[in-house]
Amino acid sequence: MASETVVRRTEQWFVQQGAPTMIEGYGFRSHVLPRMLPALAFVAVGSLAWLVLQQSAGLSRWVLLGVIVAVMVSTWVLLSLFVRGMPDFSPRMTVLLLVAYAVIPVITPLVQFAIDTEFIAPDGDEKPESVWGALVWFVVVFGFAFVATMLATTYGLGALLKAAIRHVIADLGNSVHLLGRALPPMLFVTLFLFFTGELWQAMNQLLWPRVSLVVLLFASITVLAAAARLRDEIGRVEQDLRPEVLKTACKGTPLSGVDVAEPLPPKRLNGRQTRNLLVMLAIRQLVQAAVIGLALFAFFVVLGLIVVTPAIAELWIGQRPEMSWPGVPSAMLRNATLFAAFGSMYFSVTSMSDAEHRRQFFAPVLEKVERTLEVRAVYLDVRERAAA
Protein backbone atom coordinates (compact mmCIF):
# COMPACT_ATOMS: atom_id res chain seq x y z
CA MET A 1 0.00 0.00 0.00
CA ALA A 2 2.86 2.36 0.85
CA SER A 3 4.46 1.66 -2.53
CA GLU A 4 1.21 2.42 -4.33
CA THR A 5 0.99 5.75 -2.48
CA VAL A 6 4.55 6.61 -3.47
CA VAL A 7 3.78 5.70 -7.08
CA ARG A 8 0.69 7.91 -7.05
CA ARG A 9 2.54 10.86 -5.55
CA THR A 10 5.39 10.43 -8.03
CA GLU A 11 2.91 10.57 -10.89
CA GLN A 12 1.63 13.87 -9.49
CA TRP A 13 5.25 15.05 -9.31
CA PHE A 14 5.69 14.29 -13.03
CA VAL A 15 2.61 16.41 -13.78
CA GLN A 16 3.99 19.31 -11.71
CA GLN A 17 7.33 19.07 -13.53
CA GLY A 18 5.65 19.33 -16.94
CA ALA A 19 6.51 15.73 -17.86
CA PRO A 20 3.16 13.91 -17.47
CA THR A 21 3.92 11.47 -20.30
CA MET A 22 6.49 9.77 -18.04
CA ILE A 23 3.56 8.20 -16.19
CA GLU A 24 3.26 4.53 -17.09
CA GLY A 25 0.07 3.77 -19.00
CA TYR A 26 -0.46 7.46 -19.77
CA GLY A 27 -3.59 7.84 -21.89
CA PHE A 28 -6.40 10.19 -22.82
CA ARG A 29 -9.14 8.63 -20.69
CA SER A 30 -7.04 7.80 -17.65
CA HIS A 31 -4.89 10.94 -17.38
CA VAL A 32 -5.53 13.65 -19.98
CA LEU A 33 -9.32 14.09 -19.87
CA PRO A 34 -9.57 14.34 -16.05
CA ARG A 35 -7.00 17.16 -16.03
CA MET A 36 -8.78 18.87 -18.97
CA LEU A 37 -12.03 18.99 -17.03
CA PRO A 38 -11.52 22.40 -15.27
CA ALA A 39 -10.68 24.18 -18.53
CA LEU A 40 -13.55 22.53 -20.45
CA ALA A 41 -16.02 23.42 -17.68
CA PHE A 42 -14.69 26.99 -17.69
CA VAL A 43 -15.39 27.31 -21.43
CA ALA A 44 -18.81 25.67 -21.13
CA VAL A 45 -19.99 27.89 -18.28
CA GLY A 46 -18.48 30.91 -20.03
CA SER A 47 -20.78 30.37 -22.99
CA LEU A 48 -23.65 31.47 -20.73
CA ALA A 49 -22.11 34.93 -20.66
CA TRP A 50 -23.02 35.38 -24.31
CA LEU A 51 -26.69 34.63 -23.59
CA VAL A 52 -26.65 37.19 -20.77
CA LEU A 53 -25.15 39.83 -23.05
CA GLN A 54 -27.91 39.22 -25.61
CA GLN A 55 -30.90 39.06 -23.26
CA SER A 56 -30.21 41.67 -20.57
CA ALA A 57 -29.27 45.30 -20.36
CA GLY A 58 -28.29 47.91 -17.80
CA LEU A 59 -27.31 46.96 -14.26
CA SER A 60 -28.87 43.48 -14.44
CA ARG A 61 -26.50 42.55 -17.26
CA TRP A 62 -23.41 43.29 -15.18
CA VAL A 63 -24.82 41.61 -12.09
CA LEU A 64 -25.52 38.43 -14.06
CA LEU A 65 -22.08 38.59 -15.69
CA GLY A 66 -20.51 38.94 -12.26
CA VAL A 67 -22.39 35.86 -11.06
CA ILE A 68 -21.31 33.89 -14.12
CA VAL A 69 -17.66 34.89 -13.65
CA ALA A 70 -17.86 33.84 -9.99
CA VAL A 71 -19.36 30.49 -11.02
CA MET A 72 -16.67 30.01 -13.66
CA VAL A 73 -13.85 30.67 -11.21
CA SER A 74 -15.44 28.53 -8.49
CA THR A 75 -15.96 25.68 -10.94
CA TRP A 76 -12.33 25.93 -12.07
CA VAL A 77 -11.03 25.85 -8.47
CA LEU A 78 -13.25 23.00 -7.29
CA LEU A 79 -12.57 20.82 -10.32
CA SER A 80 -8.82 21.56 -10.08
CA LEU A 81 -8.87 20.29 -6.49
CA PHE A 82 -10.81 17.23 -7.64
CA VAL A 83 -8.44 16.29 -10.46
CA ARG A 84 -5.35 16.64 -8.24
CA GLY A 85 -6.26 13.17 -7.02
CA MET A 86 -5.83 12.04 -10.66
CA PRO A 87 -9.20 10.25 -10.94
CA ASP A 88 -9.58 7.54 -13.55
CA PHE A 89 -12.76 8.06 -15.57
CA SER A 90 -14.69 5.03 -16.74
CA PRO A 91 -15.45 4.64 -20.46
CA ARG A 92 -19.09 5.54 -19.76
CA MET A 93 -18.12 8.72 -17.89
CA THR A 94 -15.70 9.65 -20.68
CA VAL A 95 -18.41 9.36 -23.33
CA LEU A 96 -20.85 11.31 -21.16
CA LEU A 97 -18.41 14.20 -20.66
CA LEU A 98 -17.48 14.39 -24.34
CA VAL A 99 -21.13 14.33 -25.46
CA ALA A 100 -22.05 17.03 -22.92
CA TYR A 101 -19.23 19.25 -24.11
CA ALA A 102 -20.16 18.69 -27.76
CA VAL A 103 -23.83 19.51 -27.14
CA ILE A 104 -23.27 22.85 -25.39
CA PRO A 105 -22.09 24.83 -28.49
CA VAL A 106 -25.18 23.57 -30.35
CA ILE A 107 -27.70 24.24 -27.58
CA THR A 108 -26.48 27.76 -26.68
CA PRO A 109 -27.35 29.52 -29.99
CA LEU A 110 -30.57 27.49 -30.32
CA VAL A 111 -31.68 28.67 -26.88
CA GLN A 112 -30.94 32.26 -27.87
CA PHE A 113 -32.89 31.78 -31.12
CA ALA A 114 -35.86 30.30 -29.24
CA ILE A 115 -35.94 33.21 -26.78
CA ASP A 116 -35.46 35.99 -29.32
CA THR A 117 -36.78 35.61 -32.86
CA GLU A 118 -34.65 38.60 -33.92
CA PHE A 119 -31.55 36.55 -33.42
CA ILE A 120 -28.29 38.43 -32.74
CA ALA A 121 -25.31 36.41 -33.81
CA PRO A 122 -21.79 36.99 -32.44
CA ASP A 123 -21.05 39.14 -35.49
CA GLY A 124 -24.00 41.45 -34.75
CA ASP A 125 -26.18 40.19 -37.62
CA GLU A 126 -29.85 40.38 -36.60
CA LYS A 127 -31.29 38.11 -39.29
CA PRO A 128 -32.99 34.93 -38.00
CA GLU A 129 -31.03 32.89 -40.54
CA SER A 130 -27.78 33.82 -38.79
CA VAL A 131 -28.44 31.08 -36.23
CA TRP A 132 -26.50 28.79 -38.57
CA GLY A 133 -23.58 31.16 -38.58
CA ALA A 134 -23.68 31.25 -34.78
CA LEU A 135 -23.75 27.45 -34.66
CA VAL A 136 -20.63 27.27 -36.80
CA TRP A 137 -18.97 30.00 -34.73
CA PHE A 138 -19.65 28.22 -31.42
CA VAL A 139 -18.59 24.82 -32.76
CA VAL A 140 -15.31 26.25 -34.07
CA VAL A 141 -14.55 28.05 -30.79
CA PHE A 142 -15.38 25.01 -28.65
CA GLY A 143 -13.43 22.71 -30.99
CA PHE A 144 -10.37 24.97 -30.89
CA ALA A 145 -10.61 25.19 -27.08
CA PHE A 146 -10.81 21.39 -26.82
CA VAL A 147 -7.81 20.73 -29.08
CA ALA A 148 -5.68 23.45 -27.45
CA THR A 149 -6.54 22.19 -23.95
CA MET A 150 -5.82 18.59 -24.93
CA LEU A 151 -2.37 19.42 -26.33
CA ALA A 152 -1.49 21.67 -23.38
CA THR A 153 -2.58 18.99 -20.91
CA THR A 154 -0.95 16.10 -22.74
CA TYR A 155 2.49 17.70 -22.75
CA GLY A 156 2.23 19.75 -19.55
CA LEU A 157 2.59 23.10 -21.32
CA GLY A 158 1.21 25.10 -18.40
CA ALA A 159 3.73 23.72 -15.90
CA LEU A 160 6.59 24.08 -18.40
CA LEU A 161 5.68 27.68 -19.21
CA LYS A 162 5.48 28.62 -15.52
CA ALA A 163 8.84 26.92 -14.89
CA ALA A 164 10.47 28.75 -17.82
CA ILE A 165 9.15 32.12 -16.59
CA ARG A 166 10.37 31.36 -13.07
CA HIS A 167 13.82 30.56 -14.49
CA VAL A 168 13.93 33.86 -16.36
CA ILE A 169 12.86 35.85 -13.28
CA ALA A 170 15.10 33.97 -10.84
CA ASP A 171 18.05 33.99 -13.21
CA LEU A 172 17.86 37.73 -13.85
CA GLY A 173 21.64 38.01 -13.96
CA ASN A 174 21.80 35.58 -16.86
CA SER A 175 18.90 37.38 -18.52
CA VAL A 176 20.84 40.66 -18.40
CA HIS A 177 23.85 38.83 -19.78
CA LEU A 178 21.61 37.31 -22.44
CA LEU A 179 20.37 40.75 -23.49
CA GLY A 180 23.92 42.12 -23.44
CA ARG A 181 25.03 39.39 -25.82
CA ALA A 182 21.97 39.37 -28.04
CA LEU A 183 21.00 43.02 -28.52
CA PRO A 184 24.19 44.40 -30.17
CA PRO A 185 24.23 41.92 -33.10
CA MET A 186 20.44 42.22 -33.48
CA LEU A 187 20.68 46.01 -33.66
CA PHE A 188 23.56 45.78 -36.13
CA VAL A 189 21.32 43.76 -38.46
CA THR A 190 18.09 45.75 -38.02
CA LEU A 191 18.87 49.30 -36.84
CA PHE A 192 19.27 51.07 -40.21
CA LEU A 193 16.34 49.20 -41.75
CA PHE A 194 14.16 50.85 -39.12
CA PHE A 195 14.65 54.19 -40.86
CA THR A 196 13.61 52.95 -44.32
CA GLY A 197 10.85 55.17 -45.75
CA GLU A 198 9.32 52.40 -47.89
CA LEU A 199 8.95 50.21 -44.81
CA TRP A 200 7.17 52.99 -42.93
CA GLN A 201 4.81 53.39 -45.89
CA ALA A 202 4.03 49.68 -45.84
CA MET A 203 3.55 49.60 -42.06
CA ASN A 204 1.24 52.63 -42.20
CA GLN A 205 -1.07 50.67 -44.53
CA LEU A 206 -0.64 47.23 -42.96
CA LEU A 207 -3.34 46.40 -40.41
CA TRP A 208 -2.55 44.71 -37.12
CA PRO A 209 -4.09 41.33 -38.12
CA ARG A 210 -1.60 41.11 -41.00
CA VAL A 211 1.26 42.18 -38.73
CA SER A 212 0.19 39.38 -36.39
CA LEU A 213 0.41 36.91 -39.28
CA VAL A 214 3.98 38.07 -40.01
CA VAL A 215 4.88 37.59 -36.34
CA LEU A 216 3.26 34.13 -36.44
CA LEU A 217 5.35 33.29 -39.52
CA PHE A 218 8.57 34.23 -37.72
CA ALA A 219 7.45 32.22 -34.67
CA SER A 220 6.77 29.18 -36.88
CA ILE A 221 10.26 29.38 -38.36
CA THR A 222 11.68 29.58 -34.83
CA VAL A 223 9.73 26.49 -33.76
CA LEU A 224 10.77 24.49 -36.83
CA ALA A 225 14.44 25.40 -36.39
CA ALA A 226 14.26 24.63 -32.67
CA ALA A 227 12.59 21.25 -33.28
CA ALA A 228 15.36 20.18 -35.68
CA ARG A 229 18.15 21.36 -33.39
CA LEU A 230 16.69 20.19 -30.09
CA ARG A 231 16.44 16.62 -31.32
CA ASP A 232 20.23 16.65 -31.36
CA GLU A 233 20.20 17.94 -27.79
CA ILE A 234 17.90 15.11 -26.72
CA GLY A 235 20.39 12.68 -28.27
CA ARG A 236 23.06 14.01 -25.90
CA VAL A 237 21.00 13.27 -22.80
CA GLU A 238 22.57 10.45 -20.80
CA GLN A 239 20.78 8.05 -18.48
CA ASP A 240 23.28 7.43 -15.68
CA LEU A 241 21.30 5.01 -13.50
CA ARG A 242 23.90 4.13 -10.84
CA PRO A 243 22.48 3.93 -7.28
CA GLU A 244 24.33 7.02 -6.02
CA VAL A 245 23.12 9.07 -9.01
CA LEU A 246 19.54 7.86 -8.57
CA LYS A 247 19.62 8.69 -4.87
CA THR A 248 20.69 12.27 -5.64
CA ALA A 249 18.09 12.62 -8.39
CA CYS A 250 15.26 11.45 -6.12
CA LYS A 251 15.97 13.99 -3.38
CA GLY A 252 12.99 16.32 -2.99
CA THR A 253 10.65 13.89 -4.75
CA PRO A 254 8.19 11.31 -3.35
CA LEU A 255 10.88 8.69 -4.09
CA SER A 256 13.44 10.25 -1.73
CA GLY A 257 13.08 7.41 0.77
CA VAL A 258 13.39 4.60 -1.79
CA ASP A 259 16.58 2.53 -1.55
CA VAL A 260 18.10 1.42 -4.88
CA ALA A 261 20.79 -1.20 -4.32
CA GLU A 262 21.99 -1.76 -7.88
CA PRO A 263 22.10 0.06 -11.24
CA LEU A 264 18.84 0.04 -13.16
CA PRO A 265 18.62 -0.66 -16.89
CA PRO A 266 17.90 2.36 -19.14
CA LYS A 267 14.24 2.70 -20.07
CA ARG A 268 13.31 3.30 -23.69
CA LEU A 269 11.16 6.34 -24.46
CA ASN A 270 8.16 6.22 -26.77
CA GLY A 271 7.34 8.92 -29.29
CA ARG A 272 5.03 10.88 -26.99
CA GLN A 273 7.62 10.95 -24.21
CA THR A 274 10.33 12.15 -26.61
CA ARG A 275 8.04 14.92 -27.82
CA ASN A 276 7.37 15.91 -24.20
CA LEU A 277 11.12 16.34 -23.62
CA LEU A 278 11.42 18.32 -26.86
CA VAL A 279 8.63 20.62 -25.69
CA MET A 280 10.43 21.02 -22.36
CA LEU A 281 13.54 22.30 -24.17
CA ALA A 282 11.61 24.31 -26.75
CA ILE A 283 9.58 26.22 -24.15
CA ARG A 284 12.76 27.47 -22.48
CA GLN A 285 14.19 28.50 -25.86
CA LEU A 286 11.01 30.31 -26.88
CA VAL A 287 10.75 32.16 -23.56
CA GLN A 288 14.32 33.39 -24.07
CA ALA A 289 13.38 34.49 -27.58
CA ALA A 290 10.36 36.33 -26.15
CA VAL A 291 12.63 38.18 -23.70
CA ILE A 292 14.83 39.28 -26.62
CA GLY A 293 11.76 40.29 -28.63
CA LEU A 294 10.33 42.43 -25.82
CA ALA A 295 13.69 44.14 -25.30
CA LEU A 296 13.99 44.89 -29.03
CA PHE A 297 10.42 46.20 -29.16
CA ALA A 298 11.07 48.52 -26.22
CA PHE A 299 14.35 49.75 -27.78
CA PHE A 300 12.78 50.59 -31.15
CA VAL A 301 9.78 52.31 -29.54
CA VAL A 302 12.10 54.50 -27.43
CA LEU A 303 14.33 55.16 -30.45
CA GLY A 304 11.31 56.09 -32.57
CA LEU A 305 9.96 58.45 -29.93
CA ILE A 306 13.32 60.21 -29.75
CA VAL A 307 14.21 60.39 -33.45
CA VAL A 308 11.01 60.12 -35.49
CA THR A 309 8.71 63.07 -34.93
CA PRO A 310 5.22 63.10 -36.49
CA ALA A 311 6.54 65.52 -39.14
CA ILE A 312 9.37 63.14 -40.12
CA ALA A 313 6.93 60.21 -40.17
CA GLU A 314 4.63 62.19 -42.49
CA LEU A 315 7.60 62.97 -44.76
CA TRP A 316 8.58 59.28 -45.02
CA ILE A 317 5.05 58.01 -45.45
CA GLY A 318 3.97 60.73 -47.89
CA GLN A 319 0.76 61.47 -46.03
CA ARG A 320 -0.48 62.15 -42.54
CA PRO A 321 0.37 59.01 -40.55
CA GLU A 322 -2.22 57.06 -38.63
CA MET A 323 -1.71 57.76 -34.92
CA SER A 324 -2.16 55.26 -32.10
CA TRP A 325 -1.61 57.88 -29.39
CA PRO A 326 -0.66 61.55 -29.56
CA GLY A 327 2.85 61.70 -30.99
CA VAL A 328 3.01 57.93 -31.59
CA PRO A 329 2.48 56.85 -35.25
CA SER A 330 0.97 53.39 -35.65
CA ALA A 331 3.64 52.66 -38.28
CA MET A 332 6.31 53.02 -35.62
CA LEU A 333 4.67 50.46 -33.33
CA ARG A 334 4.20 48.04 -36.24
CA ASN A 335 7.81 48.54 -37.31
CA ALA A 336 8.96 47.86 -33.76
CA THR A 337 6.82 44.72 -33.63
CA LEU A 338 8.18 43.50 -36.96
CA PHE A 339 11.83 44.00 -35.99
CA ALA A 340 11.26 42.49 -32.55
CA ALA A 341 9.80 39.33 -34.11
CA PHE A 342 12.59 39.11 -36.69
CA GLY A 343 15.30 39.78 -34.10
CA SER A 344 14.03 37.14 -31.67
CA MET A 345 13.80 34.59 -34.50
CA TYR A 346 17.34 35.43 -35.69
CA PHE A 347 18.74 35.15 -32.18
CA SER A 348 16.94 31.89 -31.43
CA VAL A 349 18.16 30.23 -34.63
CA THR A 350 21.79 31.42 -34.39
CA SER A 351 22.14 30.86 -30.65
CA MET A 352 21.37 27.15 -30.96
CA SER A 353 24.65 26.69 -32.85
CA ASP A 354 26.63 28.65 -30.24
CA ALA A 355 28.50 26.37 -27.83
CA GLU A 356 28.76 28.98 -25.09
CA HIS A 357 25.05 29.75 -25.20
CA ARG A 358 24.21 26.04 -25.07
CA ARG A 359 26.51 25.54 -22.08
CA GLN A 360 25.17 28.51 -20.16
CA PHE A 361 21.45 28.39 -20.91
CA PHE A 362 20.79 24.82 -22.06
CA ALA A 363 22.83 22.91 -19.49
CA PRO A 364 20.34 23.48 -16.61
CA VAL A 365 17.44 22.33 -18.79
CA LEU A 366 19.33 19.24 -19.94
CA GLU A 367 20.11 18.46 -16.30
CA LYS A 368 16.39 18.69 -15.54
CA VAL A 369 15.65 16.29 -18.40
CA GLU A 370 18.29 13.83 -17.13
CA ARG A 371 16.88 14.04 -13.61
CA THR A 372 13.37 13.39 -14.92
CA LEU A 373 14.59 10.24 -16.68
CA GLU A 374 16.45 9.08 -13.57
CA VAL A 375 13.37 9.58 -11.38
CA ARG A 376 11.31 7.75 -14.01
CA ALA A 377 13.63 4.73 -13.81
CA VAL A 378 13.17 4.50 -10.02
CA TYR A 379 9.42 5.09 -10.40
CA LEU A 380 9.09 2.20 -12.84
CA ASP A 381 11.14 -0.05 -10.57
CA VAL A 382 8.95 0.78 -7.54
CA ARG A 383 5.83 0.34 -9.63
CA GLU A 384 6.90 -3.10 -10.81
CA ARG A 385 7.68 -4.18 -7.26
CA ALA A 386 4.32 -2.86 -6.03
CA ALA A 387 2.51 -4.81 -8.76
CA ALA A 388 4.40 -8.04 -8.02
mmCIF file of all heavy atoms in Angstrom, residues 183 187 191 294-304:
data_model
loop_
_atom_site.group_PDB
_atom_site.id
_atom_site.type_symbol
_atom_site.label_atom_id
_atom_site.label_comp_id
_atom_site.label_asym_id
_atom_site.label_seq_id
_atom_site.Cartn_x
_atom_site.Cartn_y
_atom_site.Cartn_z
ATOM 1 N N LEU A 183 21.469 41.765 -27.937
ATOM 2 C CA LEU A 183 21.003 43.017 -28.524
ATOM 3 C C LEU A 183 21.985 43.651 -29.509
ATOM 4 O O LEU A 183 21.555 44.093 -30.587
ATOM 5 C CB LEU A 183 20.647 44.012 -27.414
ATOM 6 C CG LEU A 183 19.362 43.697 -26.642
ATOM 7 C CD1 LEU A 183 19.100 44.783 -25.608
ATOM 8 C CD2 LEU A 183 18.172 43.578 -27.576
ATOM 9 N N LEU A 187 20.789 44.610 -33.241
ATOM 10 C CA LEU A 187 20.681 46.006 -33.664
ATOM 11 C C LEU A 187 21.549 46.281 -34.889
ATOM 12 O O LEU A 187 21.188 47.093 -35.748
ATOM 13 C CB LEU A 187 21.076 46.928 -32.510
ATOM 14 C CG LEU A 187 20.148 46.875 -31.292
ATOM 15 C CD1 LEU A 187 20.674 47.781 -30.186
ATOM 16 C CD2 LEU A 187 18.738 47.276 -31.674
ATOM 17 N N LEU A 191 19.017 47.902 -37.229
ATOM 18 C CA LEU A 191 18.874 49.303 -36.845
ATOM 19 C C LEU A 191 18.586 50.205 -38.041
ATOM 20 O O LEU A 191 17.635 50.992 -38.033
ATOM 21 C CB LEU A 191 20.126 49.774 -36.103
ATOM 22 C CG LEU A 191 20.111 51.227 -35.639
ATOM 23 C CD1 LEU A 191 18.945 51.475 -34.693
ATOM 24 C CD2 LEU A 191 21.432 51.593 -34.966
ATOM 25 N N LEU A 294 10.856 41.319 -26.609
ATOM 26 C CA LEU A 294 10.325 42.426 -25.822
ATOM 27 C C LEU A 294 11.368 43.530 -25.658
ATOM 28 O O LEU A 294 11.041 44.729 -25.715
ATOM 29 C CB LEU A 294 9.874 41.922 -24.449
ATOM 30 C CG LEU A 294 8.605 41.050 -24.438
ATOM 31 C CD1 LEU A 294 8.356 40.506 -23.045
ATOM 32 C CD2 LEU A 294 7.400 41.850 -24.918
ATOM 33 N N ALA A 295 12.638 43.137 -25.437
ATOM 34 C CA ALA A 295 13.693 44.144 -25.300
ATOM 35 C C ALA A 295 13.887 44.912 -26.603
ATOM 36 O O ALA A 295 14.052 46.143 -26.588
ATOM 37 C CB ALA A 295 14.997 43.461 -24.880
ATOM 38 N N LEU A 296 13.854 44.209 -27.735
ATOM 39 C CA LEU A 296 13.989 44.887 -29.029
ATOM 40 C C LEU A 296 12.806 45.816 -29.296
ATOM 41 O O LEU A 296 12.984 46.940 -29.787
ATOM 42 C CB LEU A 296 14.094 43.848 -30.152
ATOM 43 C CG LEU A 296 15.456 43.164 -30.323
ATOM 44 C CD1 LEU A 296 15.338 42.013 -31.312
ATOM 45 C CD2 LEU A 296 16.500 44.162 -30.792
ATOM 46 N N PHE A 297 11.603 45.354 -28.967
ATOM 47 C CA PHE A 297 10.424 46.196 -29.165
ATOM 48 C C PHE A 297 10.549 47.477 -28.344
ATOM 49 O O PHE A 297 10.297 48.584 -28.857
ATOM 50 C CB PHE A 297 9.162 45.427 -28.764
ATOM 51 C CG PHE A 297 7.904 46.228 -28.864
ATOM 52 C CD1 PHE A 297 7.265 46.395 -30.083
ATOM 53 C CD2 PHE A 297 7.347 46.825 -27.735
ATOM 54 C CE1 PHE A 297 6.101 47.146 -30.184
ATOM 55 C CE2 PHE A 297 6.185 47.575 -27.825
ATOM 56 C CZ PHE A 297 5.556 47.735 -29.052
ATOM 57 N N ALA A 298 10.932 47.337 -27.072
ATOM 58 C CA ALA A 298 11.072 48.520 -26.218
ATOM 59 C C ALA A 298 12.142 49.461 -26.761
ATOM 60 O O ALA A 298 11.963 50.692 -26.764
ATOM 61 C CB ALA A 298 11.415 48.089 -24.787
ATOM 62 N N PHE A 299 13.269 48.908 -27.256
ATOM 63 C CA PHE A 299 14.345 49.753 -27.783
ATOM 64 C C PHE A 299 13.872 50.556 -28.992
ATOM 65 O O PHE A 299 14.099 51.770 -29.072
ATOM 66 C CB PHE A 299 15.539 48.887 -28.173
ATOM 67 C CG PHE A 299 16.631 49.664 -28.857
ATOM 68 C CD1 PHE A 299 17.575 50.358 -28.127
ATOM 69 C CD2 PHE A 299 16.706 49.716 -30.247
ATOM 70 C CE1 PHE A 299 18.577 51.092 -28.758
ATOM 71 C CE2 PHE A 299 17.697 50.444 -30.890
ATOM 72 C CZ PHE A 299 18.636 51.136 -30.140
ATOM 73 N N PHE A 300 13.196 49.896 -29.933
ATOM 74 C CA PHE A 300 12.781 50.592 -31.151
ATOM 75 C C PHE A 300 11.669 51.608 -30.872
ATOM 76 O O PHE A 300 11.599 52.653 -31.537
ATOM 77 C CB PHE A 300 12.335 49.591 -32.212
ATOM 78 C CG PHE A 300 13.474 48.937 -32.932
ATOM 79 C CD1 PHE A 300 13.718 47.580 -32.817
ATOM 80 C CD2 PHE A 300 14.326 49.688 -33.731
ATOM 81 C CE1 PHE A 300 14.775 46.987 -33.476
ATOM 82 C CE2 PHE A 300 15.387 49.101 -34.401
ATOM 83 C CZ PHE A 300 15.617 47.749 -34.266
ATOM 84 N N VAL A 301 10.804 51.326 -29.898
ATOM 85 C CA VAL A 301 9.783 52.308 -29.537
ATOM 86 C C VAL A 301 10.446 53.550 -28.944
ATOM 87 O O VAL A 301 10.110 54.692 -29.313
ATOM 88 C CB VAL A 301 8.771 51.696 -28.542
ATOM 89 C CG1 VAL A 301 7.885 52.786 -27.944
ATOM 90 C CG2 VAL A 301 7.897 50.659 -29.241
ATOM 91 N N VAL A 302 11.402 53.351 -28.025
ATOM 92 C CA VAL A 302 12.098 54.496 -27.428
ATOM 93 C C VAL A 302 12.883 55.253 -28.498
ATOM 94 O O VAL A 302 12.854 56.495 -28.549
ATOM 95 C CB VAL A 302 13.038 54.026 -26.298
ATOM 96 C CG1 VAL A 302 13.909 55.179 -25.800
ATOM 97 C CG2 VAL A 302 12.227 53.451 -25.147
ATOM 98 N N LEU A 303 13.571 54.516 -29.374
ATOM 99 C CA LEU A 303 14.328 55.160 -30.450
ATOM 100 C C LEU A 303 13.403 55.961 -31.361
ATOM 101 O O LEU A 303 13.724 57.095 -31.757
ATOM 102 C CB LEU A 303 15.082 54.106 -31.257
ATOM 103 C CG LEU A 303 15.928 54.630 -32.435
ATOM 104 C CD1 LEU A 303 17.082 55.487 -31.916
ATOM 105 C CD2 LEU A 303 16.454 53.464 -33.273
ATOM 106 N N GLY A 304 12.253 55.395 -31.705
ATOM 107 C CA GLY A 304 11.313 56.089 -32.567
ATOM 108 C C GLY A 304 10.756 57.345 -31.919
ATOM 109 O O GLY A 304 10.604 58.375 -32.580
#
